[in-house]
Amino acid sequence: MKKIFTLFLFVFVISCSSFAAENWRALEKKAEIEMRNNNCKDAFYLYKKILLEHKASSWMYRNAVKSLTKARLEDEFDGFFTAVIKKYGKDPKMLIALAKSKMRVADYGYIIAGEFVRGSHRGGGQRVSSLERDRVEALRLLLGVLKKNRTEKFYDVFKNIIMWGRNYNQAWKLQYLTNVNKLPDYEKRNRYYYGFGAQGAPVGADGKPVFYHIPNSLENSANDGERWRWALEQMKDDGNSKLQIANFFKSQFSVETIAYNMRNKIQSIKTGPYAVHLLKDDKSISKLATGVQLVDLPDDCNYIEMYKELIDSQYARQGLEALITIYRNRRQYNRAANVLKEAIRMFPKRAKMRYIPQLKQISGNWVELLNCKTFPAGVKPEVNLKFRNTSKIFCKLTKIKIETFLDDIKKNLKNEKARHEMLRLGYQPQQIGNWLLKKQGEAYLSDEIKEWEDVLKPLAKHFDKTIQLQLPVKEAGVYFLEVTAIDGNTSRIIVWLSNTAIIERDTNGGKLYIVTDAMTGKPLDYCRMKFFGYKSTYIRDKKLRNKLGEKYKYSFEEFFAQTDANGMVFVAVDKLKESKQVMIEASVGDYSGVLGFSYFYHRRFYSQKMNNRNKVYAITDRPIYKPGQTVNLNYWLRTVGYGKNNFIGEFAGKTVKLTVRSPRKKLIEKQFKLDDFGAFNYSFKLPDDADLGSYSMSLGRLGGYLRFRVEEYRKPEYEVKVAMPKKPLMLGDRIPITIKADYLFGAPVTNAKVK
């Protein structure tokens, strides 16, 4: 009977265990379904129950954290995190998952009633950052994993935790070794704080940049940067680790770090300290914490060589594209072109859309006409032409039918269909002239054509060069200039030659227009002026916007005016206020000119009351004195203003108090009666033991502050000259100098100490 009971009890326990296991599997399946259906709150609580009341793996913990963040239950993370550590603290896979989860949740929260609540919170509380605290907790967990259990996954998470909060302008923190034995407190931080601006790569006590090398062990790491290098070194070398290292050192030491502050200096192709095109691959010019410096890149930190090594790996494309960018930014265009050719060979599918256009931009013949001002008629204009590689250009200059062109501008602006087409292509109404020339430019070109060729001398190594291209016309008119590089592109621009200048000035109540001869400045009397303007008003009614197909309602205004005998005309605000953008045509006799669309803004002018002011003028007979010498000073007091009266005598006979102070004490305090001209003079002798330094004198509240110096002066006995090298130098070069010292009577200074 006893044996039967024991057998029954064993079968019962097995059955209960099997039933319980089936129940837990059912819960797991239910949690997966809830998560898949985005019922993240229910999924989290199911995963939490399984993890804390049963046994689960690290993937289930990851799903729990993912559900928690999606359900915005981050305020429950810290309690859940602590409970999981308590139960699974010896499981290496779970420790790695726990450390990684710190980066998956919000790294901020609020201190409420002395407790930290993670994530967003409505109401009061002090907003704090938990990033540094979370980072130390994660490192503690990872360093608790035994060496024999440190897998590829461990090193991947470890290097990410080390770099957490150390990217971009926070990379300087890597020079310190994080103390995992001390848990940092929460940091008070503004919601939109992302760290201070880039200050440059850190430098050591010797002024040299800090590089992070590979230590022989994790324990021997001198800083977090070396910890990071060590973790990457332990990972499988498929090229990814090398790419991360190269990207980091590129962000710290590439020439791009100085681009924004020294763009003009870098763009000079002459030799000099910032001639980046002369750099070798083992050198760079970088912005460091102490300033711009020529940097020697160590072999294990040379990001350029690392990118070259990646060409033979599965990260070849990333390596090639990084090299292309580096050499272009260094203005080493020949080398960039060679890398582009290699990229075209290795990745033909990407070549057409990406690499071939870049190669053509560097090595192809290219011209660009730069924007120019309106030129006065009677002088052959010179326009700026930038070009690259080409040795020959073909030029074509055609006169534009300006009357037809201006009429079409007005017609198309008023035409709703044409305006829709222009706006759809991204042109603004004031750019309608550019749109018309691109759309139907041939219609505005006359038969007056001038064609010619020019031979150019391009710079070597694909550098840009800018010259002034003189046009063979000087008659007033509007011209369409086309310049084509041989086997290259074509650049176009409109050139205005005007014999009429229209000057616009704001005045109280409107605008004053002055029309003159563009060459002599002579006013053009009785000149007819035609005003055409438009105004756009935003349509607030959405239904009306959809019906009209426009966001703005346009209104147009045209009126005429005429200058007086002095070439001037005043246009009141009432006529201009209906048009925010105005185009003006002026003509009389052989004179004609156009002032393109300009924004009208009515500024009110107020008559300012010019109040009188008291002014004090002071002077001494010299700026510097020796102890024992006499100081002579004069004061004049005036009331100045724009009134008719000159208040010279207002201060006559009044009493003022003069105060003279030495660097240590009050030296003189004395009252003076001003003469009939509001002035007085005074002399005093400095003591033989007078304090050296800066002295000040004033008349109290009236002002009249003036400074002079008291110094011991000794005539120099010899002269020192320093001869610097005449040739430009690179940053980091040694400077040979010659120092020569001679007595003033001609003899050399011998055995002198030089510092």
Side-chain angles (χ1 to χ4, degrees), residues 528-542:
R528 178 181 172 84
M529 300 185 69
K530 186 190 298 184
F531 291 78
F532 172 80
Y534 69 89
K535 181 180 179 180
S536 57
T537 307
Y538 183 70
I539 304 172
R540 298 187 177 277
D541 188 341
K542 187 176 181 180

Side-chain angles (χ1 to χ4, degrees), residues 557-679:
E557 181 76 16
E558 290 186 78
F559 62 91
F560 297 89
Q562 185 172 319
T563 62
D564 58 16
N566 297 315
M568 295 187 293
V569 61
F570 173 78
V571 181
V573 174
D574 294 339
K575 287 190 175 182
L576 290 169
K577 68 180 180 181
E578 296 301 324
S579 302
K580 288 294 183 182
Q581 295 279 354
V582 182
M583 181 176 68
I584 305 168
E585 301 171 59
S587 61
V588 58
D590 295 331
Y591 289 94
S592 64
V594 177
L595 183 64
F597 285 111
S598 59
Y599 183 74
F600 171 71
Y601 172 68
H602 172 51
R603 293 187 295 174
R604 295 185 178 181
F605 287 78
Y606 298 94
S607 299
Q608 297 183 1
K609 184 179 179 181
M610 300 301 181
N611 296 322
N612 297 324
R613 297 175 59 192
N614 295 331
K615 297 285 289 185
V616 181
Y617 305 93
I619 189 173
T620 57
D621 59 337
R622 63 179 68 175
I624 187 169
Y625 300 88
K626 289 173 63 177
Q629 288 186 334
T630 299
V631 178
N632 299 301
L633 60 89
N634 284 73
Y635 267 96
W636 295 268
L637 285 78
R638 295 287 186 272
T639 299
V640 297
Y642 291 91
K644 295 181 179 179
N645 298 322
N646 186 2
F647 301 100
I648 293 178
E650 183 175 327
F651 288 99
K654 289 190 175 182
T655 302
V656 295
K657 183 169 68 174
L658 172 68
T659 303
V660 180
R661 295 180 180 273
S662 72
R664 293 186 179 181
K665 59 185 178 181
K666 187 185 294 184
L667 190 65
I668 295 173
E669 189 172 72
K670 189 175 181 179
Q671 290 190 341
F672 294 89
K673 187 176 181 179
L674 302 178
D675 61 19
D676 295 339
F677 297 97

Side-chain angles (χ1 to χ4, degrees), residues 307-511:
Y307 286 130
K308 289 180 180 178
E309 293 170 7
L310 288 173
I311 295 175
D312 297 325
S313 72
Q314 60 178 312
Y315 296 95
R317 181 175 61 81
Q318 289 88 335
L320 287 167
E321 291 183 357
L323 287 171
I324 293 166
T325 302
I326 289 167
Y327 288 135
R328 289 185 68 171
N329 289 336
R330 288 182 171 220
R331 306 180 74 236
Q332 297 173 353
Y333 302 118
N334 277 341
R335 305 186 74 177
N338 292 334
V339 178
L340 279 165
K341 291 174 184 177
E342 182 66 14
I344 292 169
R345 184 188 68 79
M346 293 183 67
F347 302 98
K349 290 183 179 180
R350 297 176 63 89
K352 185 176 181 181
M353 296 296 295
R354 190 175 184 90
Y355 303 130
I356 292 176
Q358 290 186 50
L359 180 61
K360 187 176 180 181
Q361 186 182 29
I362 292 174
S363 58
N365 292 346
W366 172 84
V367 292
E368 180 187 4
L369 287 162
L370 304 181
N371 289 332
C372 59
K373 60 183 181 180
T374 300
F375 297 96
V379 179
K380 291 183 178 180
E382 292 182 340
V383 297
N384 290 325
L385 174 70
K386 184 188 288 188
F387 67 96
R388 184 189 310 132
N389 303 322
T390 185
S391 58
K392 191 175 184 180
I393 56 172
F394 303 95
C395 306
K396 182 179 178 181
L397 189 68
T398 310
K399 195 169 186 178
I400 293 177
K401 302 172 185 176
I402 187 62
E403 294 82 6
T404 306
F405 182 53
L406 294 177
D407 287 342
D408 274 6
I409 284 177
K410 300 172 187 177
K411 290 177 183 177
N412 281 272
L413 263 181
K414 292 179 179 179
N415 186 285
E416 186 176 322
K417 185 177 179 181
R419 196 168 62 244
H420 284 186
E421 182 183 350
M422 176 190 67
L423 293 171
R424 183 173 54 82
L425 293 174
Y427 290 90
Q428 296 299 314
Q430 62 269 26
Q431 298 173 314
I432 188 171
N434 296 334
W435 173 66
L436 285 173
L437 285 171
K438 190 170 184 178
K439 179 185 177 184
Q440 53 192 43
E442 296 292 333
Y444 307 117
L445 302 182
S446 67
D447 296 333
E448 297 183 39
I449 299 175
K450 295 184 183 294
E451 295 180 314
W452 72 98
E453 298 177 4
D454 266 348
V455 177
L456 307 178
K457 293 182 179 180
L459 296 174
K461 300 180 180 179
H462 310 300
F463 279 107
D464 293 347
K465 184 178 180 179
T466 302
I467 62 169
Q468 289 188 319
L469 181 67
Q470 190 178 69
L471 307 185
V473 292
K474 54 184 179 180
E475 296 80 16
V478 184
Y479 299 88
F480 187 61
L481 175 62
E482 296 177 275
V483 175
T484 303
I486 184 172
D487 299 324
N489 71 315
T490 299
S491 181
R492 302 172 178 86
I493 196 174
I494 296 177
V495 182
W496 292 72
L497 272 73
S498 179
N499 56 9
T500 306
I502 304 174
I503 304 165
E504 182 184 65
R505 290 290 181 268
D506 289 321
T507 61
N508 191 21
K511 284 184 180 286

Side-chain angles (χ1 to χ4, degrees), residues 119-130:
S120 300
H121 168 73
R122 288 186 177 181
Q126 172 64 54
R127 184 183 173 92
V128 294
S129 169
S130 63

Side-chain angles (χ1 to χ4, degrees), residues 171-347:
W172 57 270
K173 294 180 181 178
L174 288 171
Q175 64 185 311
Y176 303 108
L177 187 71
T178 300
N179 182 7
V180 296
N181 297 319
K182 183 179 179 182
L183 199 61
D185 201 356
Y186 299 104
E187 299 176 342
K188 293 181 181 180
R189 186 164 294 178
N190 184 280
R191 175 177 294 187
Y192 304 106
Y193 174 82
Y194 297 102
F196 295 106
Q199 303 297 316
V203 297
D206 56 357
K208 294 182 179 180
V210 175
F211 291 101
Y212 306 115
H213 304 285
I214 304 170
N216 52 23
S217 68
L218 178 61
E219 292 73 22
N220 291 333
S221 300
N223 49 51
D224 283 348
E226 291 190 1
R227 281 176 168 175
W228 177 69
R229 290 296 305 268
W230 173 84
L232 287 168
E233 186 67 15
Q234 310 309 309
M235 297 179 67
K236 183 181 178 182
D237 187 16
D238 60 351
N240 186 32
S241 298
K242 188 168 289 184
L243 179 62
Q244 292 182 56
I245 297 168
N247 288 341
F248 173 76
F249 284 118
K250 176 176 177 287
S251 71
Q252 295 291 291
F253 300 109
S254 66
V255 297
E256 289 95 317
T257 58
I258 65 172
Y260 293 104
N261 296 330
M262 301 188 173
R263 186 181 301 274
N264 294 333
K265 293 181 180 179
I266 293 172
Q267 288 178 346
S268 172
I269 66 167
K270 298 177 181 179
T271 57
Y274 305 105
V276 294
H277 64 287
L278 300 177
L279 289 172
K280 296 181 180 180
D281 285 353
D282 61 347
K283 296 184 183 298
S284 183
I285 299 176
S286 314
K287 180 183 178 183
L288 307 182
T290 53
V292 178
Q293 185 175 320
L294 179 69
V295 176
D296 291 317
L297 300 172
D299 292 340
D300 64 336
C301 303
N302 189 330
Y303 58 90
I304 297 179
E305 293 300 327
M306 291 181 190
Y307 286 130
K308 289 180 180 178
E309 293 170 7
L310 288 173
I311 295 175
D312 297 325
S313 72
Q314 60 178 312
Y315 296 95
R317 181 175 61 81
Q318 289 88 335
L320 287 167
E321 291 183 357
L323 287 171
I324 293 166
T325 302
I326 289 167
Y327 288 135
R328 289 185 68 171
N329 289 336
R330 288 182 171 220
R331 306 180 74 236
Q332 297 173 353
Y333 302 118
N334 277 341
R335 305 186 74 177
N338 292 334
V339 178
L340 279 165
K341 291 174 184 177
E342 182 66 14
I344 292 169
R345 184 188 68 79
M346 293 183 67
F347 302 98

